[in-house]
Amino acid sequence: MTRSVYVTGIGRGDGRQVVELGVMELLTRQVDRVGIYRPMVHDTPDRIFELLRSRYRLVQDPATVFGMGYEEAAALQAEQGQEALTARLVEGYLRVAEDYETVLILGSDFAGTNLPAELGVNARLANECGASVLPVIGGRAQSAESVAAEVRNAHHAYTNLGCDVIAMVANRVDPAEVAEAAERLSRAPEVPVYVLPDEPALAAPTVAQIAETLGAEVLLGDDAGLARDALDFVFGGAMLPTFLPKLTPGCVVVTPGDRADLIIGSLAAHSAGSPPIAGVLLTLDERPGPDILALANRLAPGTPVLAVATGSFTTAAGLFTLDGKLGAGTPRKAETALGLFETHVDTAELTERLSVARSSRVTPMMFEHALLERARADKRRIVLPEGAEERILRAAEVLLRRGVCELTLLGEEDAVRKKAGDLGVALDDPGLQIVDPQTSPLRERFASLYAELRAHRGVTYELAYDVVADVSYFGTLMVQEGLADGMVSGAVHSTAATIRPAFEIIKTRPGAAIVSSVFFMCLADKVLVYGDCAVNPDPNAEQLADIAIQAAATAARFDVEPRIAMLSYSTGTSGSGADVDKVRAATELVRERRPELLVEGPIQYDAAVAPSVAATKMPGSAVAGQATVLVFPDLNTGNNTYKAVQRSAGAVAVGPVLQGLRKPVNDLSRGALVQDIVNTVAITAIQAQQGETV
């Protein structure tokens, strides 16, 4: 039977998109296919559905998502009554429910809908769809007492109409009132009530939204600049010395287009990082000359400069009516919204109340969700040596906003903050620190430690003092000394530059013959573990056995039941030769050292993963056809195979994850995407939680 959740409200302006996104996040952690149904819609494409579709890789046909437009719904209710309206809307829901085991229903928005008794329409529809109801109550500009009263009234309204209310959310509550509101609501109503504070970054429009709303011409700026949040507006009219101190981080400077001094001064301040601004909006249909624009572009590349025809007063009136909107074009806001939801909602409790049975399949998204959830449960500090690299900064923002871990970025602080400002990335989280190895007081301590560790190689203190200024060595020493719990690097550095310091300083853990790597290959319906695809070019039988044993431990620690396939170009006894003999010998070593592990080899890839092939080539095997850990005979085979599967099968490859070190250090592919970095940092944090690497 389809399980449905109906997110609704009692009036406009409740910001429930945060809750809709948060509930979708919880559902996709449990279920591999979630359907969306919006009974009534203002316009299509609908921005919230587009956000959910892009973020959660939905393949649902948009034609099935929407019941009807509000105008049509109001006309149908007026002409034929609520029964006819409800019947039509339920028909739409049933079409979605036929194809999905769980459906998220997005209730009406109470904004210009012309529906009499709109709350009752939502309640009736939820009941007819058999959906549990999660009401959201807006608390902006209200006292804690008023918020509590609104929540109680909403609970009575929906329960009196027969709804199964599983929880409630008070959203956009004044941060100063959150604690008192939560205390008042802890006693009533009978269901959990979660209180979310008003978050300025969510209410702030992006520069792109400002340009669209005002019909502004974009004179300068790239996509990253246009995606910045406009946290404030500073209107320029004073002379530059008076004006500059009034700038605030993330502000949009609004000034007549003929004030070249304020334009250049604002962008120069941004370039210096004091403070980073969101952009410049020019009024009065005035535009600077080409020389001024060229200078502006050199001072702050990518920073938007917009122009409108209206004067300052009319422009201000338009700006102050703007409100930030979640959508597919605002992924950073989505991360902020999810961070807010996960911080203030007991997600374990709400998941239980949603009563959604966990799917037996593990999709890439479910695996990624599990990583973030496990890392968040026991926060660790991860050091990122490439602190000024764009992808690292964007990943850091996601990790901090989602509360996944604490971070240390290495690099010259002004350079890191300037780059973050150019990207519109916020670095104001208390869990973030920026350390410059060149000037850090730790440099002398680390030089002494490294000279002692490498004295047998003739390393002096003077040489060590130079070596430890390298970000990879400095980060590794932070991990060794317990100042960070793990390190992730490699977005711009080579694998050798990342792991050589770990070999020298952290070294292998007891029982590990070598350091090796695995990739988590997230296919459409399962997760496989590939090893070694990144470190050892041509392991011998002993090393291959060690890779297999470590890979099995890695798999088990990340909830993948290990069934090991030792891959070769032949299966069983069908082939011979040095390469096959190496795999056969490695398989026997695994069986001797770890008799409890399920292992098969030599075996070909198709026989390892395809039950139909296994039934012919290796019938009766406990591994063939259902292998989860695939160990390649050499780096050439492993690296090419993982990339071929990643590209041709659309698999998500998480890794490489290093195994065999005393403390966690992980390498990135230099082509790593932001989400790859987020996943690798989460894995590193989980390794650190376990006290040793896998």
Side-chain angles (χ1 to χ4, degrees):
M1 179 179 176
T2 301
R3 174 67 168 156
S4 302
V5 183
Y6 197 113
V7 180
T8 183
I10 60 172
R12 64 182 303 173
D14 53 28
R16 86 181 69 149
Q17 296 83 5
V18 173
V19 180
E20 292 167 343
L21 184 63
V23 171
M24 186 66 174
E25 182 85 3
L26 297 185
L27 293 176
T28 53
R29 291 179 189 176
Q30 304 291 113
V31 180
D32 62 334
R33 296 182 73 247
V34 179
I36 306 295
Y37 182 56
R38 184 182 286 285
M40 293 168 285
V41 64
H42 283 291
D43 298 297
T44 57
D46 176 69
R47 60 185 176 82
I48 295 302
F49 171 67
E50 293 302 317
L51 168 62
L52 298 178
R53 179 163 68 163
S54 63
R55 184 177 185 86
Y56 298 103
R57 307 162 199 161
L58 304 182
V59 296
Q60 183 179 353
D61 182 354
T64 68
V65 172
F66 308 109
M68 64 179 69
Y70 279 108
E71 290 186 8
E72 182 184 358
L76 180 60
Q77 185 177 28
E79 294 170 8
Q80 300 181 35
Q82 185 171 331
E83 291 292 328
L85 173 62
T86 302
R88 278 276 303 278
L89 297 177
V90 171
E91 286 176 9
Y93 164 76
L94 292 175
R95 285 193 293 270
V96 178
E98 285 178 1
D99 297 326
Y100 294 91
E101 54 194 297
T102 300
V103 179
L104 173 61
I105 306 175
L106 311 178
S108 69
D109 57 16
F110 294 86
T113 60
N114 297 319
L115 285 175
E118 191 166 346
L119 188 150
V121 173
N122 284 282
R124 175 69 186 280
L125 186 56
N127 291 339
E128 294 296 337
C129 294
S132 295
V133 176
L134 180 59
V136 182
I137 292 82
R140 181 172 281 177
Q142 296 187 54
S143 66
E145 182 180 6
S146 177
V147 170
E150 289 273 18
V151 169
R152 286 192 290 268
N153 290 338
H155 181 260
H156 290 317
Y158 278 104
T159 54
N160 288 344
L161 290 168
C163 293
D164 171 30
V165 177
I166 55 169
M168 304 185 72
V169 176
N171 191 31
R172 290 183 164 178
V173 177
D174 185 332
E177 301 286 333
V178 166
E180 184 182 345
E183 170 61 26
R184 288 176 177 270
L185 290 166
S186 65
R187 299 184 290 271
E190 299 79 18
V191 297
V193 181
Y194 310 112
V195 182
L196 276 58
D198 203 8
E199 171 53 60
L202 287 177
T206 64
V207 179
Q209 289 171 340
I210 291 173
E212 180 182 0
T213 301
L214 300 184
E217 179 185 354
V218 179
L219 304 180
L220 295 175
D222 57 20
D223 289 343
L226 290 166
R228 296 177 192 172
D229 292 328
L231 301 177
D232 192 11
F233 299 107
V234 177
F235 291 83
M239 298 304 292
L240 189 61
T242 305
F243 174 74
L244 285 180
K246 305 301 182 184
L247 296 178
T248 57
C251 71
V252 169
V253 172
V254 185
T255 183
D258 59 358
R259 289 296 303 270
D261 57 333
L262 299 187
I263 299 168
I264 296 302
S266 301
L267 295 173
H270 172 86
S271 179
S274 55
I277 65 173
V280 178
L281 176 60
L282 308 178
T283 62
L284 296 174
D285 207 18
E286 293 283 346
R287 288 158 179 74
D291 292 343
I292 296 298
L293 284 177
L295 176 59
N297 195 38
R298 287 196 298 271
L299 276 173
T303 297
V305 176
L306 314 178
V308 293
T310 53
S312 296
F313 181 82
T314 304
T315 303
L319 290 173
F320 290 130
T321 61
L322 279 172
D323 201 2
K325 290 179 171 57
L326 286 173
T330 57
R332 293 175 57 239
K333 284 189 186 296
E335 298 297 345
T336 300
L338 283 172
L340 188 73
F341 184 86
E342 290 163 343
T343 299
H344 297 279
V345 172
D346 185 336
T347 55
E349 178 185 51
L350 182 55
T351 299
E352 183 177 354
R353 296 186 71 83
L354 290 172
S355 301
V356 177
R358 180 177 287 274
S359 173
S360 59
R361 301 199 309 168
V362 178
T363 66
M365 188 169 298
M366 292 168 72
F367 183 74
E368 291 173 358
H369 286 333
L371 292 180
L372 301 188
E373 201 169 3
R374 288 178 63 179
R376 190 185 298 114
D378 182 12
K379 283 190 188 180
R380 298 305 168 108
R381 178 170 291 277
I382 306 300
V383 58
L384 304 175
E386 299 152 324
E389 209 282 327
E390 177 177 346
R391 289 166 294 160
I392 294 293
L393 286 167
R394 294 196 183 281
E397 183 178 42
V398 172
L399 290 159
L400 293 168
R401 289 190 174 192
R402 298 292 299 277
V404 175
C405 60
E406 297 180 334
L407 294 175
T408 298
L409 300 179
L410 298 186
E412 197 273 312
E413 183 165 4
D414 287 344
V416 172
R417 293 198 178 278
K418 180 183 183 303
K419 182 66 173 179
D422 289 341
L423 297 171
V425 169
L427 294 181
D428 54 356
D429 192 282
L432 174 73
Q433 62 177 189
I434 302 173
V435 176
D436 183 356
Q438 298 284 343
T439 60
S440 170
L442 292 170
R443 186 175 177 181
E444 294 180 0
R445 170 181 161 186
F446 287 174
S448 297
L449 174 61
Y450 184 71
E452 181 182 342
L453 288 172
R454 304 294 288 173
H456 65 290
R457 294 286 189 178
V459 174
T460 64
Y461 173 84
E462 290 73 21
L463 177 58
Y465 189 77
D466 290 336
V467 170
V468 301
D470 177 87
V471 290
S472 296
Y473 277 91
F474 194 93
T476 304
L477 283 158
M478 289 189 74
V479 176
Q480 176 66 15
E481 290 295 280
L483 301 173
D485 299 299
M487 184 178 90
V488 174
S489 189
V492 292
H493 291 95
S494 68
T495 294
T498 298
I499 66 177
R500 185 186 298 114
F503 289 162
E504 295 178 3
I505 296 165
I506 294 175
K507 304 183 179 1
T508 57
R509 62 177 174 81
I514 57 173
V515 173
S516 60
S517 73
V518 296
F519 279 89
F520 290 97
M521 300 299 295
C522 302
L523 304 174
D525 60 350
K526 59 188 171 183
V527 175
L528 301 178
V529 177
Y530 283 11
D532 172 10
C533 304
V535 178
N536 297 285
D538 189 17
N540 59 32
E542 289 267 348
Q543 293 170 330
L544 205 56
D546 191 72
I547 291 169
I549 291 169
Q550 291 189 57
T554 301
R557 293 197 182 189
F558 287 90
D559 298 325
V560 177
E561 182 182 354
R563 293 186 293 273
I564 309 167
M566 307 294 287
L567 298 176
S568 177
Y569 60 76
S570 73
T571 295
T573 59
S574 66
S576 62
D579 292 337
V580 179
D581 293 341
K582 177 180 78 168
V583 174
R584 185 174 288 115
T587 304
E588 291 307 315
L589 287 171
V590 174
R591 287 173 176 151
E592 290 173 14
R593 295 174 185 175
R594 297 291 301 277
E596 76 281 6
L597 290 176
L598 295 175
V599 60
E600 196 69 76
I603 186 171
Q604 291 163 291
Y605 191 99
D606 59 349
V609 300
S612 60
V613 177
T616 301
K617 291 188 174 183
M618 196 167 277
S621 170
V623 173
Q626 51 186 335
T628 56
V629 177
L630 296 108
V631 179
F632 294 90
D634 54 57
L635 186 59
N636 182 48
T637 307
N639 192 269
N640 278 294
T641 301
Y642 107 75
K643 288 183 177 177
V645 172
Q646 180 186 33
R647 299 299 177 185
S648 61
V652 175
V654 180
V657 177
L658 298 185
Q659 48 191 17
L661 290 167
R662 291 177 182 268
K663 295 185 177 183
V665 171
N666 282 313
D667 183 34
L668 296 166
S669 164
R670 273 171 280 183
L673 303 176
V674 171
Q675 190 58 46
D676 299 332
I677 299 169
V678 169
N679 290 337
T680 303
V681 170
I683 284 177
T684 308
I686 294 167
Q687 289 178 313
Q689 292 170 357
Q690 297 165 344
E692 62 177 4
T693 58
V694 290

